[in-house]
Amino acid sequence: MPLDPIAYQPYADPDDFIREVTDLIWVNRSISYIRENYEPDSIVHGSLGTSTTRDEVIEGSLMRISATPDRTGQAEDVVWEARGDDAFLSSHLVFSGYLHTPEVGRTIANCLYRQGRMVEEWVVRDSLAGALYHGLDVDELARAQSFRGYTGSWTEPAPVDPIAVGDSGPRPDEYRSEVETVLEMIDVVWNQRDLQKVERYFERDLTLLTVGNRTVIRPEGYRRALLRFLESFPAGQFEIRDIQTNYDVRYAGLRVAVTWKFLGGYVGKANYGPLTGKPVDVLGISQFTFHKGKLVKEVRLWDDIALRAQIAGMRGDEPLELANIY
């Protein structure tokens, strides 16, 4: 079923819509446009919890833009997919740079638009990259944040068949073979921990871009990066919450975006400070790129500072004021 232009007017297509609207708000600083772009009761699931009003989005955007006046971003990828004939779900990978320093970072925002209006969003930022660049104490930075917790769809059970219906609703059955490959890889390698099977799904010359602005290469690098995360939550599991596929030669062909939730007790290696024994709830997004039937690239993001804030809150660590950090 073709997508009705009402879903992305006045732009040429959803890709153009997402890139232009993001630039208008974040580069041109038209923060007020959020009132036209978001529904009043729009829902945003971020790494620190869920917000449920447009005013919260405006306030949060203003504070972030004010805190990073030299930052500018551009689309590194837009993986969009129809949700019915009047809506689409986009997975927007933003690569950010700064005017006067070599600092860089990435964000992925998955946005559900219906008739040109934002209704629900899932967003993750690589806050760790900026903290490492500036030499900040990541644990102190985490203690300056407050994990509010999630509401709405993120607290509901994982979709039974995310290929058919994800958190954003029913999806078209496109590129099923590639989607099944990605989901099988997540089950076998990530959840079953059969790390030797990385080569079954990925090319030898794979690239993983992940938090802390790290670039990882080759299957062995991929294994070590996954182990580094899992060693703190050794029994943790990844849930598949949503999927998008898109083929576009501008972005290297076929990509599959996956929104995932990681749930696991902080009982392993104390990489995030003293162990709590309590489960974490991590919002993450991955974008996978295919070439000739195999995976060649993954961009995997979650907010590692927000994860530390969640754990610090469970420990009852005394919060710090932002002014004490910056």
Side-chain angles (χ1 to χ4, degrees), residues 184-185 187-190 192-203 206 219 222-223 294-295:
E184 182 181 303
M185 188 281 296
D187 179 52
V188 172
V189 177
W190 293 12
Q192 296 183 36
R193 320 295 203 239
D194 194 349
L195 275 68
Q196 70 167 344
K197 294 285 188 0
V198 171
E199 287 94 336
R200 172 188 291 181
Y201 305 101
F202 283 89
E203 292 279 7
L206 70 88
Y222 192 94
R223 283 188 278 265
K294 293 197 78 172
L295 293 163

Side-chain angles (χ1 to χ4, degrees), residues 288-322:
F288 298 91
T289 303
F290 277 87
H291 178 66
K292 295 182 178 179
K294 293 197 78 172
L295 293 163
V296 295
K297 178 181 177 183
E298 179 189 354
V299 181
R300 185 193 308 155
L301 295 187
W302 69 91
D303 190 326
D304 208 62
I305 302 296
L307 173 55
R308 291 175 184 273
Q310 189 177 148
I311 292 170
M314 293 174 182
R315 278 196 302 262
D317 292 356
E318 183 179 349
L320 299 177
E321 295 294 332
L322 280 171

Side-chain angles (χ1 to χ4, degrees), residues 224-296:
R224 293 187 184 193
L226 182 60
L227 284 169
R228 173 66 177 173
F229 179 72
L230 289 174
E231 67 183 1
S232 295
F233 319 97
Q237 293 284 291
F238 295 85
E239 296 180 351
I240 306 304
R241 307 295 305 205
D242 225 325
I243 302 165
Q244 299 116 285
T245 64
N246 185 268
Y247 185 92
D248 193 324
V249 295
R250 290 176 296 178
Y251 304 115
L254 178 61
R255 292 94 65 234
V256 177
V258 176
T259 306
W260 47 265
K261 174 190 280 198
F262 180 79
L263 296 167
Y266 183 40
V267 298
K269 190 171 181 179
N271 292 332
Y272 297 88
L275 299 175
T276 65
K278 298 178 181 179
V280 297
D281 187 343
V282 182
L283 165 61
I285 302 173
S286 290
Q287 291 185 352
F288 298 91
T289 303
F290 277 87
H291 178 66
K292 295 182 178 179
K294 293 197 78 172
L295 293 163
V296 295

Side-chain angles (χ1 to χ4, degrees), residues 13-297:
D13 55 30
D15 181 283
D16 192 38
F17 181 104
I18 288 297
R19 288 187 292 107
E20 293 302 321
V21 166
T22 303
D23 255 31
L24 184 61
I25 296 169
W26 290 92
V27 178
N28 299 333
R29 315 303 201 205
S30 182
I31 301 171
S32 65
Y33 185 70
I34 293 172
R35 294 197 179 279
E36 298 178 43
N37 191 242
Y38 282 64
E39 290 289 359
D41 57 352
S42 54
I43 298 169
V44 178
H45 307 285
S47 299
L48 290 170
T50 303
S51 63
T52 56
T53 69
R54 183 173 58 195
D55 287 343
E56 291 176 85
V57 176
I58 293 171
E59 292 167 8
S61 300
L62 184 148
M63 292 174 66
R64 183 164 179 80
I65 289 171
S66 176
T68 55
D70 289 341
R71 173 189 175 275
T72 191
Q74 66 180 32
E76 192 171 355
D77 205 335
V78 180
V79 184
W80 70 268
E81 187 177 80
R83 289 294 181 266
D85 62 358
D86 66 346
F88 66 89
L89 178 67
S90 65
S91 185
H92 184 192
L93 173 61
V94 180
F95 182 77
S96 299
Y98 290 75
L99 298 177
H100 304 297
T101 71
E103 180 184 354
V104 295
R106 287 182 171 86
T107 297
I108 302 180
N110 284 11
C111 302
L112 177 61
Y113 276 93
R114 194 167 300 284
Q115 297 188 357
R117 303 273 287 184
M118 171 80 80
V119 295
E120 193 162 6
E121 180 178 5
W122 299 258
V123 60
V124 289
R125 295 184 176 89
D126 181 12
S127 61
L128 181 62
L132 295 177
Y133 176 83
H134 291 284
L136 299 174
D137 184 311
V138 293
D139 291 313
E140 285 194 357
L141 187 59
R143 287 166 58 199
Q145 302 184 33
S146 176
F147 180 69
R148 302 182 304 273
Y150 292 107
T151 60
S153 64
W154 198 251
T155 64
E156 296 172 1
V160 176
D161 180 9
I163 295 179
V165 182
D167 281 352
S168 63
R171 58 175 301 273
D173 189 9
E174 297 181 333
Y175 304 105
R176 173 173 278 268
S177 176
E178 288 82 0
V179 170
E180 289 177 341
T181 294
V182 169
L183 298 194
E184 182 181 303
M185 188 281 296
I186 291 173
D187 179 52
V188 172
V189 177
W190 293 12
N191 282 335
Q192 296 183 36
R193 320 295 203 239
D194 194 349
L195 275 68
Q196 70 167 344
K197 294 285 188 0
V198 171
E199 287 94 336
R200 172 188 291 181
Y201 305 101
F202 283 89
E203 292 279 7
R204 179 199 65 190
D205 298 325
L206 70 88
T207 301
L208 169 67
L209 304 177
T210 191
V211 299
N213 194 34
R214 288 186 299 151
T215 300
V216 175
I217 62 172
R218 299 279 185 143
E220 181 58 18
Y222 192 94
R223 283 188 278 265
R224 293 187 184 193
L226 182 60
L227 284 169
R228 173 66 177 173
F229 179 72
L230 289 174
E231 67 183 1
S232 295
F233 319 97
Q237 293 284 291
F238 295 85
E239 296 180 351
I240 306 304
R241 307 295 305 205
D242 225 325
I243 302 165
Q244 299 116 285
T245 64
N246 185 268
Y247 185 92
D248 193 324
V249 295
R250 290 176 296 178
Y251 304 115
L254 178 61
R255 292 94 65 234
V256 177
V258 176
T259 306
W260 47 265
K261 174 190 280 198
F262 180 79
L263 296 167
Y266 183 40
V267 298
K269 190 171 181 179
N271 292 332
Y272 297 88
L275 299 175
T276 65
K278 298 178 181 179
V280 297
D281 187 343
V282 182
L283 165 61
I285 302 173
S286 290
Q287 291 185 352
F288 298 91
T289 303
F290 277 87
H291 178 66
K292 295 182 178 179
K294 293 197 78 172
L295 293 163
V296 295
K297 178 181 177 183

